[in-house]
Amino acid sequence: MDQHVKPRKPVILLNIDSLMPEPLEIAVQTGRAPALKFLMENGSYISNMVSSFPTMSVTIDSSLLTGTYADKHQIPGLNWFDDSKNEIINYGTGFRETNKSGLRKTVHNMLYRLNNEHLSSHVRTIYEELADRGIQSASINSFVYRGNTPQKLQVPGLLRGLTRFKDGQWTAEATSVFSLGVFSKLRKRSVATQIAAGNYKYTARELRHLIRRNRLPGFTFCIFQDLDFRIHFKGPMDIKGIAKIDRQIQKTLNLYPSWEEALRRNIWMVMGDNGHAPMGSRYRDFMIDLRKILKKYRVARIQRPIRKKDQIVLSVNQRMAYIYLLDEALPLSALTEKLKKDSRIDIIASKTEHGVHIESGTRTGSLHYSPGGKYSDMYEQTWHLNGKPNLLDLTLASDNKISYGDYPDGLARIYGALYSQPGRFIVVNAKPGCEFKAQSTPFHLGGAAHGSLHKQESLVPVVIAGTAIKPKHPRLVDMKSFLLGLLDH
Ligand SMILES: [Zn+2]
């Protein structure tokens, strides 16, 4: 499209991976994050925006960019099993937690299949919708990037052998302004210090390049992926990481005659994607080894193709896991009974005909729910509920209003994970302090982890400056329609 529509105020959305409300507030109050402080004081601050489920970056970014949960966008997690192709899918975590043998596959999954095969064609990204209206977008450092401008991605030198593309080069439909680590750069001669992710300075330079050249499109989405890695090892209260990224935001705001002028010209938003839960440090107490609990069954091994005699597949996403049943003779209830004996598993969820069945290792009884029905929550969703609401820490008022406790927007988020793909499987959620383990999954004893439905990982901060408008509900899944509304006039 040649005719570009310029919105009155371009929107710049900065996603700081693993930014959490408490450390952010401390960083701001102690003078270590002056740029974030300025944006907060001159805008609005929401400390409890609800993230997606599992609380893993690819699922969250897909929710943010499509405005749907996993039942619609169909990215079940960082790790999942594709029943239709009989294949274990792993997107890696920014190429840092991937072992060598899996790297080739991970690069292909993360850079190509996620956007081109797995992300449902029935949903539209904000980039696709904005392009329809003639508004251009920029995506900087995001692994979820589907748009409708063909962009060349190039895998450099030594890494070329890791892809399944001839000469390590391929074309993908992306945003019209597109930057992703070494694979696609805005400044052609720049040197990315990391393959992708873990390069906040590089990411910020790409953003500043757009501002300097006056190339900022209507909507810019930019991810800083450095904090996550630090927090997994250092624990949730890492202020230093926030201060470092804040310095980059300061430099960006400094490109304008004044910070106030930056706000007059653009809408600036800063958000987190998931929180972290501090992990216990005793292996025996806090690591839930699913292979041990389900030792009676033959578990598929990740380094080889699925075999006929394999009965189950385990896909661990830190504090949540998918347990797939390949053996048709094996009833779901047999596995649920075993899982229920472990008091570190607080939610055990499976599909029923149209709904969801919940059991627990920490609470007795069961809960069944499905969409529609006489109960409603604060997000205007309605539900049929049967059984014990305390299994999901729900409170029911006399007017049939549901309120959520430990699991924000829990009904829709569990439903999203369970209906993210066809097939027979169970979703398990770990109680605070605990984490799942299967074959060669990374774990974080004494550090921090995420993935679960619990509020400590699910509530993230968002700062909105340059407009007085706020999202209808503080949910990440409502951000897309909020952004479209801002860009429409
Ligand atoms: Zn992480």
Side-chain angles (χ1 to χ4, degrees):
M1 193 174 299
D2 293 321
Q3 281 297 313
H4 297 306
V5 180
K6 275 264 173 215
R8 205 170 49 83
K9 261 185 150 179
V11 175
I12 300 164
L13 173 58
L14 307 177
N15 176 353
I16 304 177
D17 188 319
S18 296
L19 183 68
M20 287 175 279
E22 205 192 337
L24 168 64
E25 287 158 26
I26 292 172
V28 162
Q29 284 156 12
T30 55
R32 290 202 271 166
L36 288 164
K37 180 175 193 222
F38 172 78
L39 295 175
M40 265 164 117
E41 285 177 347
N42 291 279
S44 39
Y45 173 56
I46 299 167
S47 64
N48 58 351
M49 181 164 75
V50 182
S51 185
S52 196
F53 178 64
T55 35
M56 300 300 278
S57 61
V58 288
T59 303
I60 299 168
D61 292 341
S62 299
S63 285
L64 175 71
L65 296 171
T66 67
T68 64
Y69 282 139
D71 54 317
K72 300 267 167 39
H73 67 59
Q74 294 178 354
I75 302 295
L78 201 60
N79 291 296
W80 57 285
F81 174 69
D82 187 347
D83 194 33
S84 66
K85 296 200 171 71
N86 226 18
E87 184 186 0
I88 292 169
I89 306 290
N90 171 14
Y91 299 119
T93 35
F95 305 107
R96 280 177 299 207
E97 288 171 21
T98 311
N99 61 20
K100 268 197 185 125
S101 64
L103 192 57
R104 181 184 152 102
K105 221 173 170 183
T106 302
V107 169
H108 192 77
N109 281 339
M110 187 76 158
L111 287 174
Y112 184 77
R113 297 178 76 196
L114 170 62
N115 292 277
N116 296 279
E117 288 176 15
H118 300 150
L119 187 66
S120 169
S121 56
H122 298 292
V123 294
R124 311 199 66 216
T125 66
I126 185 168
Y127 307 134
E128 292 167 323
E129 288 200 29
L130 286 173
D132 282 354
R133 301 167 199 201
I135 299 173
Q136 290 193 308
S137 303
S139 167
I140 303 175
N141 208 26
S142 170
F143 289 108
V144 186
Y145 56 69
R146 200 179 74 194
N148 35 17
T149 307
Q151 292 282 5
K152 266 205 183 90
L153 280 90
Q154 171 75 55
V155 178
L158 290 169
L159 292 165
R160 228 160 263 182
L162 295 176
T163 68
R164 296 171 176 187
F165 302 103
K166 202 173 169 279
D167 303 327
Q169 190 181 310
W170 74 100
T171 303
E173 298 286 311
T175 48
S176 56
V177 180
F178 182 56
S179 167
L180 184 57
V182 293
F183 306 106
S184 180
K185 309 181 212 176
L186 300 176
R187 297 164 300 137
K188 293 303 164 205
R189 275 180 297 175
S190 64
V191 179
T193 49
Q194 302 274 343
I195 300 173
N199 50 356
Y200 68 102
K201 283 187 185 164
Y202 183 86
T203 304
R205 276 188 210 119
E206 292 281 86
L207 172 63
R208 288 199 291 271
H209 172 80
L210 290 181
I211 296 170
R212 266 200 212 99
R213 294 286 166 93
N214 208 14
R215 278 181 62 200
L216 210 56
F219 175 55
T220 300
F221 180 50
C222 183
I223 305 191
F224 295 101
Q225 304 192 33
D226 305 70
L227 221 49
D228 184 65
F229 191 63
R230 293 173 62 98
I231 293 171
H232 276 302
F233 293 95
K234 291 171 191 276
M237 293 308 293
D238 175 43
I239 308 289
K240 215 170 157 188
I242 297 174
K244 282 184 168 178
I245 293 170
D246 189 270
R247 233 166 283 143
Q248 295 300 320
I249 302 175
Q250 293 169 43
K251 279 189 175 178
T252 308
L253 294 173
N254 287 345
L255 293 179
Y256 296 86
S258 67
W259 287 11
E260 286 77 14
E261 185 58 26
L263 285 193
R264 268 190 290 275
R265 291 196 205 165
N266 302 295
I267 295 170
W268 298 81
M269 295 184 202
V270 180
M271 61 179 279
D273 56 356
N274 58 258
H276 276 252
M279 290 296 99
S281 48
R282 273 177 59 135
Y283 186 95
R284 236 187 33 213
D285 297 338
F286 299 105
M287 293 303 300
I288 309 168
D289 193 335
L290 290 170
R291 290 167 308 176
K292 269 198 189 139
I293 298 173
L294 303 170
K295 62 173 184 272
K296 217 180 126 191
Y297 307 105
R298 284 186 299 271
V299 181
R301 315 244 338 140
I302 54 172
Q303 71 275 26
R304 67 182 182 214
I306 303 295
R307 301 205 284 202
K308 261 226 166 72
K309 60 178 183 181
D310 290 331
Q311 290 179 291
I312 55 176
V313 179
L314 302 172
S315 293
V316 170
N317 290 283
Q318 299 185 20
R319 296 190 358 88
M320 86 77 90
Y322 289 106
I323 302 167
Y324 299 88
L325 281 75
L326 307 184
D327 182 352
E328 277 163 35
L330 191 60
L332 276 166
S333 56
L335 270 71
T336 305
E337 284 311 311
K338 294 219 176 307
L339 295 162
K340 260 170 72 175
K341 293 202 180 96
D342 196 311
S343 61
R344 298 167 299 177
I345 302 176
D346 59 2
I347 299 169
I348 304 163
S350 55
K351 278 184 264 198
T352 58
E353 204 179 334
H354 299 291
V356 174
H357 179 77
I358 305 279
E359 297 198 51
S360 169
T362 59
R363 291 169 168 130
T364 56
S366 65
L367 171 70
H368 181 268
Y369 73 90
S370 59
K374 66 172 182 182
Y375 296 98
S376 65
D377 60 24
M378 67 269 260
Y379 309 114
E380 297 159 64
Q381 304 167 124
T382 56
W383 304 98
H384 296 280
L385 287 176
N386 238 312
K388 297 181 76 180
N390 72 331
L391 264 77
L392 289 180
D393 199 23
L394 306 174
T395 312
L396 303 183
S398 53
D399 59 354
N400 292 336
K401 280 262 181 289
I402 302 167
S403 39
Y404 297 98
D406 282 343
Y407 312 107
D409 200 16
L411 298 170
R413 292 165 72 214
I414 294 174
Y415 186 90
L418 280 173
Y419 285 87
S420 60
Q421 53 182 138
R424 289 168 75 223
F425 58 91
I426 297 171
V427 164
V428 281
N429 193 76
K431 166 179 123 168
C434 304
E435 189 174 4
F436 290 108
K437 178 157 175 47
Q439 186 194 349
S440 67
T441 42
F443 54 93
H444 311 90
L445 283 176
H450 49 94
S452 95
L453 191 72
H454 200 274
K455 63 182 176 193
Q456 62 190 344
E457 292 132 273
S458 299
L459 299 179
V460 298
V462 57
V463 180
I464 301 167
T467 178
I469 307 168
K470 287 196 217 174
K472 188 170 182 200
H473 301 295
R475 290 192 307 177
L476 190 130
V477 79
D478 294 309
M479 285 295 280
K480 179 189 169 191
S481 64
F482 168 61
L483 291 162
L484 286 172
L486 287 176
L487 289 160
D488 252 352
H489 37 246

